[in-house]
Amino acid sequence: AQTVTQSQPEMSVQEAETVTLSCTYDTSENNYYLFWYKQPPSRQMILVIRQEAYKQQNATENRFSVNFQKAAKSFSLKISDSQLGDTAMYFCAFSINSNFGNEKLTFGTGTRLTIIP
Amino acid sequence: DAGVTQSPTHLIKTRGQQVTLRCSPKSGHDTVSWYQQALGQGPQFIFQYYEEEERQRGNFPDRFSGHQFPNYSSELNVNALLLGDSALYLCASSLDRGLFNYGYTFGSGTRLTVV
């Protein structure tokens, strides 16, 4: 079974600053995906960024980037030039990559991020 | 292009009752997954439907059942409601193409309160 751990229940940062959210995971699988999802007050889960485990290069999406350390089973999210709209719950998630197609997601408990004006 | 639509948005039920939640997937998607998100927690996988059959199931009792229709829409049924079933129920749709994970689109959920 896979587990995902987010050890920072809450974080806050001043607007325009950089913030890093931490995530560790445990799995015996070698081929998998890792995700960061954002859940604003609207409740809809929105994909922020995705990393394939077989890719050594860290994924980036505009102001969002990850630090993927496969051996350490660590997957942190860095948000640069933070904006008020980044205020939300952030969830780290894991899924196996298999012939099955879209495998289930295993989520962490989330980090509540507040951007201060 | 409509995203994932869930109904109702909020629901209050009495302990012991039965409830049905509905989900219409994003246009072009053929797979529907259901998640339960208790307050202050991350979502927990309930089950996934593909080609009108349950394909994967999480660690949930048989009181939780589902259905997928030929148009890919889905229902989640919960029988004999318990207070602990109070949660946000999220539906996620995806396109199944084997090895290629095109990712999930989530709805805004149904907030179920059991009293």
Side-chain angles (χ1 to χ4, degrees), chain B residues 25-96:
Chain B
K26 180 179 178 179
S27 178
H29 284 185
D30 57 7
T31 304
V32 173
S33 303
W34 287 92
Y35 290 82
Q36 179 195 65
Q37 186 178 12
L39 195 62
Q41 300 295 316
Q44 298 286 320
F45 175 74
I46 302 175
F47 43 53
Q48 183 183 86
Y49 276 84
Y50 173 68
E51 292 188 341
E52 302 180 47
E53 291 193 358
E54 184 183 288
R55 185 166 69 173
Q56 299 182 69
R57 188 179 182 91
N59 189 25
F60 278 80
D62 292 343
R63 298 187 299 108
F64 289 78
S65 63
H67 190 76
Q68 185 179 35
F69 299 93
N71 67 352
Y72 307 119
S73 67
S74 178
E75 290 182 348
L76 164 64
N77 301 292
V78 187
N79 295 322
L81 284 167
L82 304 174
L83 297 179
D85 295 332
S86 295
L88 178 67
Y89 288 85
L90 294 167
C91 173
S93 72
S94 55
L95 177 64
D96 183 281

Side-chain angles (χ1 to χ4, degrees), chain A:
Chain A
Q2 286 68 232
T3 59
V4 177
T5 302
Q6 293 179 251
S7 59
Q8 304 154 313
E10 294 189 30
M11 294 189 71
S12 60
V13 66
Q14 293 289 138
E15 189 177 6
E17 290 187 347
T18 295
V19 61
T20 299
L21 309 183
S22 300
C23 172
T24 58
Y25 60 95
D26 190 26
T27 183
S28 59
E29 300 288 337
N30 195 47
N31 192 6
Y32 51 87
Y33 293 98
L34 293 163
F35 307 84
W36 279 97
Y37 279 89
K38 168 185 177 180
Q39 188 177 41
S42 67
R43 308 183 316 199
Q44 184 182 19
M45 285 283 188
I46 300 166
L47 179 64
V48 175
I49 199 164
R50 181 177 92 169
Q51 175 80 43
E52 285 97 336
Y54 66 87
K55 290 186 176 179
Q56 292 187 332
Q57 186 174 8
N58 290 324
T60 62
E61 288 287 343
N62 301 314
R63 298 183 296 107
F64 300 89
S65 61
V66 298
N67 183 3
F68 174 47
Q69 301 289 327
K70 190 172 183 179
K73 296 181 180 175
S74 170
F75 183 62
S76 62
L77 173 69
K78 185 172 81 171
I79 306 174
S80 302
D81 185 26
S82 57
Q83 300 174 359
L84 296 179
D86 296 333
T87 293
M89 283 291 291
Y90 286 80
F91 291 94
C92 179
F94 171 102
S95 79
I96 298 168
N97 184 14
S98 73
N99 294 333
F100 206 37
N102 293 289
E103 290 279 354
K104 67 177 183 180
L105 292 165
T106 300
F107 287 89
T109 53
T111 295
R112 182 175 301 280
L113 177 64
T114 302
I115 309 300
I116 303 166

